[in-house]
Amino acid sequence: METEKSDTQSKMIATAIDMIGRQVNLNFTIRGFAEQAGVNLASVNYYFRSKDNLIDEVERHFMRELRKTYGELSQAESSPKTRIVRWAERLMHQQMEYPGVLFLMVTKLISDGRQSEGVIELIDNSEMLLAPIIRSLTGMPEDDPKCSHMVMQLIAGVVTPILFHHGIGRTFGMNLKDPRERSDYVELLVNNILD
C-alpha cells in the first residue's frame, strides 16, 4: 500500500516536472493535471492540497538539481576557472532542457508577488560559492563590490541567452541547442568577465 502511494506521488511529480519544466505550462488546472498524470483528482488533492503546493514541489525538485550544479564550484581537483566554466555550462544545459523553471521563478517573483525559494537559493549559492572563486582568481579583497558585479554578470550572461532563446526564438545568431556553441559562448563569457 505504501509503495502504491509513493508510486502515485512520484508519477504526479514527474508529470508536473515535465508539464512545468519542459512544456512551460503554469496555466493548467488540477483536473487537467490529474488527467495528464493518469491519476484521480482526489489523489492530487490528497498529496498536494493545491496547485500552488504542486508548483512549489516542482520548484523544490529543481532546487535540488541546482544544488548539484553549484556543486561544480566545489570540485577542488579542477582549476577555479574550469569550475566556473563547468558550472555555467551545466546551468545553461539545465535551462535549455527545462525552460519552465525560469518561467516559474520569474512568474512567482513578478506576477504572484511571492518569493521564489529558487531565486533566493541561486543568490545565496552564488554569494557563498561563486564569489570566493572570483575573488581568488582576481585577488580582489572581500569588501570590493566589483566581485558582486562580476557574479551578477556571470548569472545574467548564462540566463539571458536562454530567456531569449525560449522567449523569442532568437539569440543573436547563436545556436544554443548546440552544446559546442554553448561551450564556446561560456568560455568567452567567463574570460571576458574575469579578465
Side-chain angles (χ1 to χ4, degrees), residues 89-176:
E89 286 176 344
R90 188 168 173 171
L91 190 57
M92 282 190 96
H93 173 75
Q94 285 176 321
Q95 292 170 7
M96 286 297 293
E97 181 118 2
Y98 296 100
V101 177
L102 286 174
F103 183 70
L104 167 63
M105 290 178 183
V106 169
T107 299
K108 285 177 86 171
L109 285 172
I110 295 172
S111 301
D112 296 350
R114 298 182 335 178
Q115 282 194 347
S116 167
E117 292 176 32
V119 173
I120 291 167
E121 190 164 330
L122 177 84
I123 292 168
D124 289 347
N125 281 330
S126 298
E127 288 175 341
M128 289 185 320
L129 299 170
L130 192 54
I133 295 173
I134 291 172
R135 279 195 290 277
S136 76
L137 284 168
T138 61
M140 214 176 277
E142 184 115 6
D143 61 348
D144 192 331
K146 283 180 20 183
C147 182
S148 295
H149 301 166
M150 294 167 93
V151 168
M152 182 71 80
Q153 287 174 330
L154 277 168
I155 292 171
V158 169
V159 172
T160 303
I162 305 299
L163 289 173
F164 287 164
H165 173 80
H166 290 295
I168 59 173
R170 293 183 56 203
T171 49
F172 301 96
M174 285 176 34
N175 178 7
L176 289 179

Side-chain angles (χ1 to χ4, degrees), residues 57-68:
E57 184 62 37
V58 170
E59 184 179 20
R60 281 190 288 278
H61 165 79
F62 284 111
M63 292 320 307
R64 289 188 293 273
E65 293 302 311
L66 184 62
R67 284 183 208 111
K68 293 176 190 173

